[in-house]
Amino acid sequence: MPETARSIARRPENRYGNRPTMKDVAARAGVGLKTVSRVVNGEPGVTPDTERRVQEAIDALGFRRNDSARVLRKGRTASIGLVLEDLADPFYGPLSRAVEEVSRAHGSLLINGSSAEDPDREQELALALCARRVDGLVIIPAGDDHRYLEPEIRAGVATVFVDRPAGGIDADVVLSDSFGGARDGVAHLIAHGHRRIGFIGDMPRIHTAAERLRGYRAAMEDAGIPVEATWMSLGVTDPVRVRRAAEEMLSGPDPVTAVFAGNNRVTVTVVRVLAEHARRVALVGFDDFELADLLQPGITVISQDPARMGRTAAERLFQQLDGSLLAPERIELPTRLIARGSGELPPED
Amino acid sequence: MPETARSIARRPENRYGNRPTMKDVAARAGVGLKTVSRVVNGEPGVTPDTERRVQEAIDALGFRRNDSARVLRKGRTASIGLVLEDLADPFYGPLSRAVEEVSRAHGSLLINGSSAEDPDREQELALALCARRVDGLVIIPAGDDHRYLEPEIRAGVATVFVDRPAGGIDADVVLSDSFGGARDGVAHLIAHGHRRIGFIGDMPRIHTAAERLRGYRAAMEDAGIPVEATWMSLGVTDPVRVRRAAEEMLSGPDPVTAVFAGNNRVTVTVVRVLAEHARRVALVGFDDFELADLLQPGITVISQDPARMGRTAAERLFQQLDGSLLAPERIELPTRLIARGSGELPPED
DNA sequence: GTGAAAGCGCTAACAA
DNA sequence: TTGTTAGCGCTTTCAC
């Protein structure tokens, strides 16, 4: 079919910027299309002289291979997706960075997005990434039903969950020992003489929140301490909500003498509330955070290793892509109690 | 062995992602290819009955549109790239998140990567994103020569720089008033009686570091204070280097009585050093950080607004893509001094 | 060593 | 309302 001015003008690339293609390079270098492809991809079977001519044409035209087209042909996109809760949360910075480093080491790009703790948005994002044909997906789940991913996994999308397990499907998951960590933290408070201990955590539908609450209950039960309903508060980690929860526990007829904070967002807000408070209240927080050691007192935490979680998950993902993995596995990373002062304060009534 | 989505994916015929296409859906539904396309894209001109049949075939086959192919045809990828220094740095969390939100509002996905402050890696990453045909690029530059982007920009890739200007090309840039902020911060220390003031900053080739140093010098000059060479230390923000720099300034025959820290990485390390130090030393840091108000004393900072920077840059990017922008512009956002105690300490010899 | 032709999965243009 | 055809820019195959 003859090229008309109209057909040329209608071409999409002429609306958004006209880039040279291999065909253009080939025409300019006076060689065939495939020869250009060989040069661009460093394939053998091109004489140095031809190669030089092609390279000159590439430079002159400012050609850059269109990886979208390449992907379409090759099947693999050399990119993976990361769905997390909030890029701005300091917990996810090191985690993303670790995923990125592993991805880079495998020649992949990382596409990522935040679910904002909204299950619908998580699904929308994950499926958009699948439509882009990412090779794999690392997901920090917001929702608890991931059956929507079943066709994708069946179609070959490698998938690893981090921090919280998948719901409704059998998939790899890398998580911290939330139950054990919380139990240890609360036991630590009990060992320092506390009996009236509060727990402030994230929404109960979030796995880590539920597990940490379970750890709290277990520690209390182990010590034979009956738990009052008013000592537990689960909900969004929004400062306003957490502040109110903390203030309620600290006031009233039978106030708590210690608080266990379910994650770093909660801890930070509780630290603020306690700073305004006359009575000294002990505090242990799940997850470490910068400067925790420099506060007065230093904040005792159950530390987890987000970078290691990210690295482990990403490595597992690429193992899946290598085809070297069989059954989905649950990998639980240990936590560590770091005593800094706030968790060792005695009860004060 | 039970059949799981994973085991199905591992079957030879599925190894390379054997996914159903529109053609498969069309065959199953007994309609033409274009009709499937219409249904998938919600285009009009399909009877409810046909639509239902197509939808059934889609669900039965687990079809998901291949956006790579779509992109190839349409020209726009509906994705933008973000090249930053380190995803794990708390300064970039809110910035990335803001870029992501704007991107999402425009129906785009965000692909991002860290340059690790390495100019070669920045270039490699930016060009890889161009090869993926991202529609636009938000770059926090590590290098100071961006002429490598010239062919890309000419080819229509929208580009906005953040935090530091581009080198060698004329491009939009969104930055904080580093010079003015640093000058204000140092003037604040001078106003509180300090004369021997140290400056610890990032590598001098980084624009913000150079500007902040310039602000420091300007404030000192305005006050008629000659600056000693030993009061200034520029280099990597690695804690070891910063710690040594701080310790040197604080010891010696003529130690500084105040320190201006060039960014949040530096500030945090200086806070640690000062905490171990007997003598009270005043401190002002560029860039705010979480819990700065809860330290003893609270840390006085020059605060900038990373989320606003990200938002501004991303909005500008999409304006470029709308074709509604003319000349590249330099947008400088104001900084704000937040006094919290550390910057108001009097000199102590 | 080199290149022509087919086709990856989709959308645009046009025909029926 | 629906279907057919021709590409998007690249890689694969196979012939020269």
Side-chain angles (χ1 to χ4, degrees), chain B residues 107-128:
Chain B
S108 264
L109 279 180
L110 180 65
I111 308 183
N112 57 26
S114 306
S115 68
E117 210 63 274
D118 172 354
D120 291 336
R121 192 163 152 182
E122 172 210 301
Q123 174 169 345
E124 181 196 338
L125 195 54
L127 292 180

mmCIF file with all atom_site columns, all heavy atoms in Angstrom, chain B residues 107-128:
data_model
loop_
_atom_site.group_PDB
_atom_site.id
_atom_site.type_symbol
_atom_site.label_atom_id
_atom_site.label_alt_id
_atom_site.label_comp_id
_atom_site.label_asym_id
_atom_site.label_entity_id
_atom_site.label_seq_id
_atom_site.pdbx_PDB_ins_code
_atom_site.Cartn_x
_atom_site.Cartn_y
_atom_site.Cartn_z
_atom_site.occupancy
_atom_site.B_iso_or_equiv
_atom_site.pdbx_formal_charge
_atom_site.auth_seq_id
_atom_site.auth_comp_id
_atom_site.auth_asym_id
_atom_site.auth_atom_id
_atom_site.pdbx_PDB_model_num
ATOM 1   N N   . GLY B 1 107 ? -4.162 8.894  35.167 1.00 0.00 ? 107 GLY B N   1
ATOM 2   C CA  . GLY B 1 107 ? -4.266 7.572  34.570 1.00 0.00 ? 107 GLY B CA  1
ATOM 3   C C   . GLY B 1 107 ? -2.940 6.951  34.187 1.00 0.00 ? 107 GLY B C   1
ATOM 4   O O   . GLY B 1 107 ? -2.900 6.037  33.367 1.00 0.00 ? 107 GLY B O   1
ATOM 5   N N   . SER B 1 108 ? -1.869 7.429  34.798 1.00 0.00 ? 108 SER B N   1
ATOM 6   C CA  . SER B 1 108 ? -0.547 6.899  34.450 1.00 0.00 ? 108 SER B CA  1
ATOM 7   C C   . SER B 1 108 ? 0.020  6.030  35.565 1.00 0.00 ? 108 SER B C   1
ATOM 8   O O   . SER B 1 108 ? -0.264 6.242  36.732 1.00 0.00 ? 108 SER B O   1
ATOM 9   C CB  . SER B 1 108 ? 0.423  8.048  34.199 1.00 0.00 ? 108 SER B CB  1
ATOM 10  O OG  . SER B 1 108 ? 0.519  8.336  32.834 1.00 0.00 ? 108 SER B OG  1
ATOM 11  N N   . LEU B 1 109 ? 0.847  5.095  35.160 1.00 0.00 ? 109 LEU B N   1
ATOM 12  C CA  . LEU B 1 109 ? 1.599  4.321  36.131 1.00 0.00 ? 109 LEU B CA  1
ATOM 13  C C   . LEU B 1 109 ? 2.950  4.970  36.350 1.00 0.00 ? 109 LEU B C   1
ATOM 14  O O   . LEU B 1 109 ? 3.443  5.697  35.493 1.00 0.00 ? 109 LEU B O   1
ATOM 15  C CB  . LEU B 1 109 ? 1.812  2.892  35.628 1.00 0.00 ? 109 LEU B CB  1
ATOM 16  C CG  . LEU B 1 109 ? 0.663  1.918  35.811 1.00 0.00 ? 109 LEU B CG  1
ATOM 17  C CD1 . LEU B 1 109 ? 1.053  0.555  35.254 1.00 0.00 ? 109 LEU B CD1 1
ATOM 18  C CD2 . LEU B 1 109 ? 0.296  1.786  37.290 1.00 0.00 ? 109 LEU B CD2 1
ATOM 19  N N   . LEU B 1 110 ? 3.529  4.679  37.502 1.00 0.00 ? 110 LEU B N   1
ATOM 20  C CA  . LEU B 1 110 ? 4.822  5.257  37.831 1.00 0.00 ? 110 LEU B CA  1
ATOM 21  C C   . LEU B 1 110 ? 5.888  4.161  37.862 1.00 0.00 ? 110 LEU B C   1
ATOM 22  O O   . LEU B 1 110 ? 5.737  3.160  38.545 1.00 0.00 ? 110 LEU B O   1
ATOM 23  C CB  . LEU B 1 110 ? 4.741  5.921  39.213 1.00 0.00 ? 110 LEU B CB  1
ATOM 24  C CG  . LEU B 1 110 ? 6.007  6.571  39.712 1.00 0.00 ? 110 LEU B CG  1
ATOM 25  C CD1 . LEU B 1 110 ? 6.390  7.739  38.834 1.00 0.00 ? 110 LEU B CD1 1
ATOM 26  C CD2 . LEU B 1 110 ? 5.833  7.042  41.140 1.00 0.00 ? 110 LEU B CD2 1
ATOM 27  N N   . ILE B 1 111 ? 6.945  4.365  37.094 1.00 0.00 ? 111 ILE B N   1
ATOM 28  C CA  . ILE B 1 111 ? 8.080  3.446  37.139 1.00 0.00 ? 111 ILE B CA  1
ATOM 29  C C   . ILE B 1 111 ? 9.200  4.196  37.819 1.00 0.00 ? 111 ILE B C   1
ATOM 30  O O   . ILE B 1 111 ? 9.536  5.292  37.390 1.00 0.00 ? 111 ILE B O   1
ATOM 31  C CB  . ILE B 1 111 ? 8.546  3.061  35.731 1.00 0.00 ? 111 ILE B CB  1
ATOM 32  C CG1 . ILE B 1 111 ? 7.372  2.572  34.898 1.00 0.00 ? 111 ILE B CG1 1
ATOM 33  C CG2 . ILE B 1 111 ? 9.643  2.014  35.787 1.00 0.00 ? 111 ILE B CG2 1
ATOM 34  C CD1 . ILE B 1 111 ? 7.756  2.100  33.526 1.00 0.00 ? 111 ILE B CD1 1
ATOM 35  N N   . ASN B 1 112 ? 9.782  3.628  38.859 1.00 0.00 ? 112 ASN B N   1
ATOM 36  C CA  . ASN B 1 112 ? 10.854 4.420  39.452 1.00 0.00 ? 112 ASN B CA  1
ATOM 37  C C   . ASN B 1 112 ? 12.081 3.650  39.826 1.00 0.00 ? 112 ASN B C   1
ATOM 38  O O   . ASN B 1 112 ? 12.081 2.436  39.918 1.00 0.00 ? 112 ASN B O   1
ATOM 39  C CB  . ASN B 1 112 ? 10.357 5.255  40.611 1.00 0.00 ? 112 ASN B CB  1
ATOM 40  C CG  . ASN B 1 112 ? 9.735  4.425  41.652 1.00 0.00 ? 112 ASN B CG  1
ATOM 41  O OD1 . ASN B 1 112 ? 10.060 3.261  41.778 1.00 0.00 ? 112 ASN B OD1 1
ATOM 42  N ND2 . ASN B 1 112 ? 8.838  5.009  42.415 1.00 0.00 ? 112 ASN B ND2 1
ATOM 43  N N   . GLY B 1 113 ? 13.142 4.397  40.004 1.00 0.00 ? 113 GLY B N   1
ATOM 44  C CA  . GLY B 1 113 ? 14.400 3.762  40.327 1.00 0.00 ? 113 GLY B CA  1
ATOM 45  C C   . GLY B 1 113 ? 15.322 4.732  41.023 1.00 0.00 ? 113 GLY B C   1
ATOM 46  O O   . GLY B 1 113 ? 15.126 5.942  40.948 1.00 0.00 ? 113 GLY B O   1
ATOM 47  N N   . SER B 1 114 ? 16.301 4.177  41.711 1.00 0.00 ? 114 SER B N   1
ATOM 48  C CA  . SER B 1 114 ? 17.254 4.985  42.454 1.00 0.00 ? 114 SER B CA  1
ATOM 49  C C   . SER B 1 114 ? 18.576 5.073  41.696 1.00 0.00 ? 114 SER B C   1
ATOM 50  O O   . SER B 1 114 ? 19.082 4.085  41.183 1.00 0.00 ? 114 SER B O   1
ATOM 51  C CB  . SER B 1 114 ? 17.519 4.367  43.825 1.00 0.00 ? 114 SER B CB  1
ATOM 52  O OG  . SER B 1 114 ? 16.318 4.166  44.526 1.00 0.00 ? 114 SER B OG  1
ATOM 53  N N   . SER B 1 115 ? 19.119 6.254  41.674 1.00 0.00 ? 115 SER B N   1
ATOM 54  C CA  . SER B 1 115 ? 20.417 6.434  41.024 1.00 0.00 ? 115 SER B CA  1
ATOM 55  C C   . SER B 1 115 ? 21.555 6.171  41.996 1.00 0.00 ? 115 SER B C   1
ATOM 56  O O   . SER B 1 115 ? 22.701 6.048  41.592 1.00 0.00 ? 115 SER B O   1
ATOM 57  C CB  . SER B 1 115 ? 20.544 7.855  40.503 1.00 0.00 ? 115 SER B CB  1
ATOM 58  O OG  . SER B 1 115 ? 20.619 8.759  41.599 1.00 0.00 ? 115 SER B OG  1
ATOM 59  N N   . ALA B 1 116 ? 21.234 6.111  43.286 1.00 0.00 ? 116 ALA B N   1
ATOM 60  C CA  . ALA B 1 116 ? 22.266 5.944  44.312 1.00 0.00 ? 116 ALA B CA  1
ATOM 61  C C   . ALA B 1 116 ? 23.317 7.041  44.195 1.00 0.00 ? 116 ALA B C   1
ATOM 62  O O   . ALA B 1 116 ? 24.486 6.812  44.488 1.00 0.00 ? 116 ALA B O   1
ATOM 63  C CB  . ALA B 1 116 ? 22.890 4.557  44.244 1.00 0.00 ? 116 ALA B CB  1
ATOM 64  N N   . GLU B 1 117 ? 22.867 8.200  43.746 1.00 0.00 ? 117 GLU B N   1
ATOM 65  C CA  . GLU B 1 117 ? 23.751 9.372  43.648 1.00 0.00 ? 117 GLU B CA  1
ATOM 66  C C   . GLU B 1 117 ? 24.907 9.141  42.662 1.00 0.00 ? 117 GLU B C   1
ATOM 67  O O   . GLU B 1 117 ? 25.936 9.799  42.724 1.00 0.00 ? 117 GLU B O   1
ATOM 68  C CB  . GLU B 1 117 ? 24.287 9.696  45.049 1.00 0.00 ? 117 GLU B CB  1
ATOM 69  C CG  . GLU B 1 117 ? 24.605 11.162 45.306 1.00 0.00 ? 117 GLU B CG  1
ATOM 70  C CD  . GLU B 1 117 ? 23.406 12.064 45.231 1.00 0.00 ? 117 GLU B CD  1
ATOM 71  O OE1 . GLU B 1 117 ? 23.086 12.487 44.120 1.00 0.00 ? 117 GLU B OE1 1
ATOM 72  O OE2 . GLU B 1 117 ? 22.800 12.377 46.273 1.00 0.00 ? 117 GLU B OE2 1
ATOM 73  N N   . ASP B 1 118 ? 24.701 8.206  41.748 1.00 0.00 ? 118 ASP B N   1
ATOM 74  C CA  . ASP B 1 118 ? 25.732 7.885  40.762 1.00 0.00 ? 118 ASP B CA  1
ATOM 75  C C   . ASP B 1 118 ? 25.266 8.370  39.385 1.00 0.00 ? 118 ASP B C   1
ATOM 76  O O   . ASP B 1 118 ? 24.273 7.874  38.847 1.00 0.00 ? 118 ASP B O   1
ATOM 77  C CB  . ASP B 1 118 ? 25.943 6.356  40.764 1.00 0.00 ? 118 ASP B CB  1
ATOM 78  C CG  . ASP B 1 118 ? 26.847 5.890  39.636 1.00 0.00 ? 118 ASP B CG  1
ATOM 79  O OD1 . ASP B 1 118 ? 27.233 6.708  38.774 1.00 0.00 ? 118 ASP B OD1 1
ATOM 80  O OD2 . ASP B 1 118 ? 27.169 4.688  39.614 1.00 0.00 ? 118 ASP B OD2 1
ATOM 81  N N   . PRO B 1 119 ? 25.981 9.338  38.811 1.00 0.00 ? 119 PRO B N   1
ATOM 82  C CA  . PRO B 1 119 ? 25.545 9.920  37.538 1.00 0.00 ? 119 PRO B CA  1
ATOM 83  C C   . PRO B 1 119 ? 25.393 8.889  36.417 1.00 0.00 ? 119 PRO B C   1
ATOM 84  O O   . PRO B 1 119 ? 24.451 8.972  35.619 1.00 0.00 ? 119 PRO B O   1
ATOM 85  C CB  . PRO B 1 119 ? 26.669 10.911 37.192 1.00 0.00 ? 119 PRO B CB  1
ATOM 86  C CG  . PRO B 1 119 ? 27.287 11.257 38.502 1.00 0.00 ? 119 PRO B CG  1
ATOM 87  C CD  . PRO B 1 119 ? 27.172 10.025 39.339 1.00 0.00 ? 119 PRO B CD  1
ATOM 88  N N   . ASP B 1 120 ? 26.269 7.907  36.372 1.00 0.00 ? 120 ASP B N   1
ATOM 89  C CA  . ASP B 1 120 ? 26.151 6.893  35.319 1.00 0.00 ? 120 ASP B CA  1
ATOM 90  C C   . ASP B 1 120 ? 24.873 6.083  35.491 1.00 0.00 ? 120 ASP B C   1
ATOM 91  O O   . ASP B 1 120 ? 24.189 5.758  34.530 1.00 0.00 ? 120 ASP B O   1
ATOM 92  C CB  . ASP B 1 120 ? 27.358 5.942  35.353 1.00 0.00 ? 120 ASP B CB  1
ATOM 93  C CG  . ASP B 1 120 ? 28.631 6.656  34.929 1.00 0.00 ? 120 ASP B CG  1
ATOM 94  O OD1 . ASP B 1 120 ? 28.526 7.669  34.216 1.00 0.00 ? 120 ASP B OD1 1
ATOM 95  O OD2 . ASP B 1 120 ? 29.721 6.204  35.327 1.00 0.00 ? 120 ASP B OD2 1
ATOM 96  N N   . ARG B 1 121 ? 24.606 5.787  36.733 1.00 0.00 ? 121 ARG B N   1
ATOM 97  C CA  . ARG B 1 121 ? 23.416 4.994  36.990 1.00 0.00 ? 121 ARG B CA  1
ATOM 98  C C   . ARG B 1 121 ? 22.160 5.817  36.692 1.00 0.00 ? 121 ARG B C   1
ATOM 99  O O   . ARG B 1 121 ? 21.170 5.281  36.194 1.00 0.00 ? 121 ARG B O   1
ATOM 100 C CB  . ARG B 1 121 ? 23.437 4.525  38.446 1.00 0.00 ? 121 ARG B CB  1
ATOM 101 C CG  . ARG B 1 121 ? 22.406 3.480  38.708 1.00 0.00 ? 121 ARG B CG  1
ATOM 102 C CD  . ARG B 1 121 ? 22.677 2.738  39.989 1.00 0.00 ? 121 ARG B CD  1
ATOM 103 N NE  . ARG B 1 121 ? 21.405 2.262  40.509 1.00 0.00 ? 121 ARG B NE  1
ATOM 104 C CZ  . ARG B 1 121 ? 21.259 1.592  41.641 1.00 0.00 ? 121 ARG B CZ  1
ATOM 105 N NH1 . ARG B 1 121 ? 22.325 1.317  42.373 1.00 0.00 ? 121 ARG B NH1 1
ATOM 106 N NH2 . ARG B 1 121 ? 20.069 1.199  42.054 1.00 0.00 ? 121 ARG B NH2 1
ATOM 107 N N   . GLU B 1 122 ? 22.215 7.088  36.992 1.00 0.00 ? 122 GLU B N   1
ATOM 108 C CA  . GLU B 1 122 ? 21.097 7.966  36.642 1.00 0.00 ? 122 GLU B CA  1
ATOM 109 C C   . GLU B 1 122 ? 20.832 7.905  35.147 1.00 0.00 ? 122 GLU B C   1
ATOM 110 O O   . GLU B 1 122 ? 19.699 7.739  34.692 1.00 0.00 ? 122 GLU B O   1
ATOM 111 C CB  . GLU B 1 122 ? 21.408 9.419  37.048 1.00 0.00 ? 122 GLU B CB  1
ATOM 112 C CG  . GLU B 1 122 ? 20.363 10.407 36.544 1.00 0.00 ? 122 GLU B CG  1
ATOM 113 C CD  . GLU B 1 122 ? 20.967 11.790 36.276 1.00 0.00 ? 122 GLU B CD  1
ATOM 114 O OE1 . GLU B 1 122 ? 21.520 12.398 37.201 1.00 0.00 ? 122 GLU B OE1 1
ATOM 115 O OE2 . GLU B 1 122 ? 20.887 12.251 35.116 1.00 0.00 ? 122 GLU B OE2 1
ATOM 116 N N   . GLN B 1 123 ? 21.887 8.032  34.376 1.00 0.00 ? 123 GLN B N   1
ATOM 117 C CA  . GLN B 1 123 ? 21.741 8.046  32.921 1.00 0.00 ? 123 GLN B CA  1
ATOM 118 C C   . GLN B 1 123 ? 21.207 6.717  32.400 1.00 0.00 ? 123 GLN B C   1
ATOM 119 O O   . GLN B 1 123 ? 20.282 6.666  31.586 1.00 0.00 ? 123 GLN B O   1
ATOM 120 C CB  . GLN B 1 123 ? 23.098 8.354  32.276 1.00 0.00 ? 123 GLN B CB  1
ATOM 121 C CG  . GLN B 1 123 ? 23.054 8.240  30.753 1.00 0.00 ? 123 GLN B CG  1
ATOM 122 C CD  . GLN B 1 123 ? 24.312 8.798  30.096 1.00 0.00 ? 123 GLN B CD  1
ATOM 123 O OE1 . GLN B 1 123 ? 25.101 9.511  30.727 1.00 0.00 ? 123 GLN B OE1 1
ATOM 124 N NE2 . GLN B 1 123 ? 24.485 8.481  28.836 1.00 0.00 ? 123 GLN B NE2 1
ATOM 125 N N   . GLU B 1 124 ? 21.791 5.650  32.910 1.00 0.00 ? 124 GLU B N   1
ATOM 126 C CA  . GLU B 1 124 ? 21.377 4.313  32.499 1.00 0.00 ? 124 GLU B CA  1
ATOM 127 C C   . GLU B 1 124 ? 19.879 4.118  32.746 1.00 0.00 ? 124 GLU B C   1
ATOM 128 O O   . GLU B 1 124 ? 19.127 3.651  31.892 1.00 0.00 ? 124 GLU B O   1
ATOM 129 C CB  . GLU B 1 124 ? 22.201 3.312  33.319 1.00 0.00 ? 124 GLU B CB  1
ATOM 130 C CG  . GLU B 1 124 ? 21.967 1.863  33.042 1.00 0.00 ? 124 GLU B CG  1
ATOM 131 C CD  . GLU B 1 124 ? 22.540 1.004  34.189 1.00 0.00 ? 124 GLU B CD  1
ATOM 132 O OE1 . GLU B 1 124 ? 23.440 1.492  34.925 1.00 0.00 ? 124 GLU B OE1 1
ATOM 133 O OE2 . GLU B 1 124 ? 22.063 -0.113 34.354 1.00 0.00 ? 124 GLU B OE2 1
ATOM 134 N N   . LEU B 1 125 ? 19.461 4.544  33.952 1.00 0.00 ? 125 LEU B N   1
ATOM 135 C CA  . LEU B 1 125 ? 18.071 4.390  34.354 1.00 0.00 ? 125 LEU B CA  1
ATOM 136 C C   . LEU B 1 125 ? 17.149 5.257  33.495 1.00 0.00 ? 125 LEU B C   1
ATOM 137 O O   . LEU B 1 125 ? 16.124 4.795  32.985 1.00 0.00 ? 125 LEU B O   1
ATOM 138 C CB  . LEU B 1 125 ? 17.955 4.777  35.824 1.00 0.00 ? 125 LEU B CB  1
ATOM 139 C CG  . LEU B 1 125 ? 16.723 4.392  36.593 1.00 0.00 ? 125 LEU B CG  1
ATOM 140 C CD1 . LEU B 1 125 ? 16.471 2.902  36.472 1.00 0.00 ? 125 LEU B CD1 1
ATOM 141 C CD2 . LEU B 1 125 ? 16.924 4.762  38.061 1.00 0.00 ? 125 LEU B CD2 1
ATOM 142 N N   . ALA B 1 126 ? 17.526 6.513  33.326 1.00 0.00 ? 126 ALA B N   1
ATOM 143 C CA  . ALA B 1 126 ? 16.685 7.436  32.556 1.00 0.00 ? 126 ALA B CA  1
ATOM 144 C C   . ALA B 1 126 ? 16.530 6.935  31.116 1.00 0.00 ? 126 ALA B C   1
ATOM 145 O O   . ALA B 1 126 ? 15.430 6.950  30.560 1.00 0.00 ? 126 ALA B O   1
ATOM 146 C CB  . ALA B 1 126 ? 17.288 8.838  32.574 1.00 0.00 ? 126 ALA B CB  1
ATOM 147 N N   . LEU B 1 127 ? 17.615 6.452  30.537 1.00 0.00 ? 127 LEU B N   1
ATOM 148 C CA  . LEU B 1 127 ? 17.527 5.987  29.153 1.00 0.00 ? 127 LEU B CA  1
ATOM 149 C C   . LEU B 1 127 ? 16.759 4.673  29.043 1.00 0.00 ? 127 LEU B C   1
ATOM 150 O O   . LEU B 1 127 ? 16.053 4.443  28.059 1.00 0.00 ? 127 LEU B O   1
ATOM 151 C CB  . LEU B 1 127 ? 18.930 5.871  28.547 1.00 0.00 ? 127 LEU B CB  1
ATOM 152 C CG  . LEU B 1 127 ? 19.633 7.223  28.345 1.00 0.00 ? 127 LEU B CG  1
ATOM 153 C CD1 . LEU B 1 127 ? 21.012 7.031  27.741 1.00 0.00 ? 127 LEU B CD1 1
ATOM 154 C CD2 . LEU B 1 127 ? 18.795 8.153  27.461 1.00 0.00 ? 127 LEU B CD2 1
ATOM 155 N N   . ALA B 1 128 ? 16.883 3.838  30.062 1.00 0.00 ? 128 ALA B N   1
ATOM 156 C CA  . ALA B 1 128 ? 16.091 2.607  30.065 1.00 0.00 ? 128 ALA B CA  1
ATOM 157 C C   . ALA B 1 128 ? 14.604 2.955  30.098 1.00 0.00 ? 128 ALA B C   1
ATOM 158 O O   . ALA B 1 128 ? 13.791 2.328  29.421 1.00 0.00 ? 128 ALA B O   1
ATOM 159 C CB  . ALA B 1 128 ? 16.456 1.738  31.257 1.00 0.00 ? 128 ALA B CB  1
#
